[in-house]
Amino acid sequence: MRVLNVELGARSYPIHIGAGLIDRAELFLPHLRSRKLAIVTNEVVGPLYLERLCAGFARVDTGVEIVPIILPDGEAYKEWQTLNTIFDALSSGHCERSSTLIALGGGVVGDMGGFAAACWQRGMPFIQIPTTLLAQVDSSVGGKTAINHPQGKNMIGAFYQPRLVLADTATLDTLPEREFSAGLAEVIKYGLIRDAAFFDWLEQNIDALRALDAGALAWAIERSCRNKAEVVAADETEQGERALLNLGHTFGHAIETGLGYGQWLHGEGVAAGTMMAAELSRHLGWIGGGDVARIERLFERAGLPTYGPALGTSRYLEWMAHDKKVEAGKLRFVLLRGIGQAVITGDVEMSDVRAAIEARCR
C-alpha cells in the first residue's frame, strides 16, 4: 500500500493506494465520527463491492450501522432528482451531521456523494472509494463536488474535502476497457501540464498500463495523485494554479454538453478537448507540430479519440461561454507552451479558437 497526503492544514487527509483495500475496514475507523455510515453507490458498482465493504466493517466493529443508497448508473443521472434521492435516504435512515457518507464508485458517484455530504445538515464527513481509473487519479482527490446543469457540466457544486481517499487498484480489473481508457486521459493530462518526465514515462509504458500491469498501474496512479495533491495543496479553490488541471476540459465539456451527458465519457471529451487546446497552442506559435503529433500518438495508443464530433463551431463556442473559467465575461484557456508546461490565458483571438476547433472536428 502506498500512502500520500493532501496537505490542507487541519483538513489534510491521506490517499491510500493498493490492491484489496476495500476489505480493510480498519483503514476507515480513525476517520469516522460515529458508527452510522451511509454508503452511496450505483446499480453497477454496488453488486460488485458493497457487500464486501459492509462485511469488512462487520468484522472489525459489529456496532456499525450502514444505510445503503443505490443510484442509477451514468452521467445522465448527475442531476437534482438523483441528488434528492440521496437526501431522502439520509433522512429516512436518520443520518446525522456526525454520520459519515462513503462514496463507492466512479466520478459520478463521488461527485454526487460529496455534494450531498457538503449539503446535508450543512456538512457531514465523507470518504471517497473511487472504483474507476479516472476517479482514482483525479475526481476523488481535491474536494470538487458537483452536479450538471443542462447548459453546462458541473455548474452546481461545492469545494468539500473528504476525510480519506481509498483507491483499491483491484477494482480496475472489473472496469470496461472504454472506461479504463477514459481514465488514461486524466493521467496523460498531468504529464502535459506539469510533469514532462511523467509524459516521457507514459510514452514508454502506455501498453503496460492498458494490459493492467500491476507495477506500472500503481506507479501511474501514485504519480498522478501526487501531482494532483501538490496542486490542490497550493490552490484549493482554484484561484490560480489549480485551473491548470482543466487542460482540455473547456472544449471537452462542450462536447459532453452538446452531445448530451453520457454519450461521450468524460475522459473521451478531455482527450479530444486537449487536442483542440494543443491545436490552439500551435496556432499561437507556442508549440510545434511535432509536439501536437506526439500528444496525438499517445492519446491514440491509449484508445482515446483525438477529434471531436462535428457539432458546429458556433455551438462549441456557445457551450464554452457557460464554462466555469469565464471571468469578467472573458473565457480563459489552459494552453501549452511545451509538454509539461501549461499556462492560463485569456488573450486569445476567437479566430484562432475557431480554427483550432475546426481542425479537430470530424
Side-chain angles (χ1 to χ4, degrees), residues 282-329:
R282 185 179 66 81
H283 274 275
L284 297 175
W286 292 358
I287 63 174
D291 283 336
V292 175
R294 192 177 165 195
I295 297 166
E296 181 173 27
R297 282 195 299 270
L298 186 55
F299 278 134
E300 288 175 341
R301 291 176 62 202
L304 289 160
T306 56
Y307 288 84
L311 303 174
T313 305
S314 296
R315 296 293 284 165
Y316 268 93
L317 295 175
E318 179 182 339
W319 289 310
M320 289 162 63
H322 292 282
D323 189 85
K324 299 184 295 300
K325 289 174 289 303
V326 172
E327 189 172 281

Side-chain angles (χ1 to χ4, degrees), residues 67-100:
V67 178
I69 305 173
I70 313 296
L71 306 180
D73 176 53
E75 185 81 25
Y77 297 100
K78 191 175 163 184
E79 40 77 51
W80 277 115
Q81 185 173 345
T82 311
L83 186 68
N84 207 51
T85 298
I86 301 176
F87 293 144
D88 288 344
L90 292 174
S91 178
S92 61
H94 303 288
C95 292
E96 303 169 353
R97 186 180 294 176
S98 62
S99 305
T100 297

Side-chain angles (χ1 to χ4, degrees), residues 172-195:
L172 303 181
D173 293 339
T174 60
L175 195 63
E177 184 177 3
R178 183 184 174 196
E179 291 269 4
F180 185 84
S181 288
L184 287 173
E186 297 285 4
V187 175
I188 293 168
K189 174 191 74 178
Y190 293 112
L192 287 172
I193 64 171
R194 70 191 307 266
D195 196 344

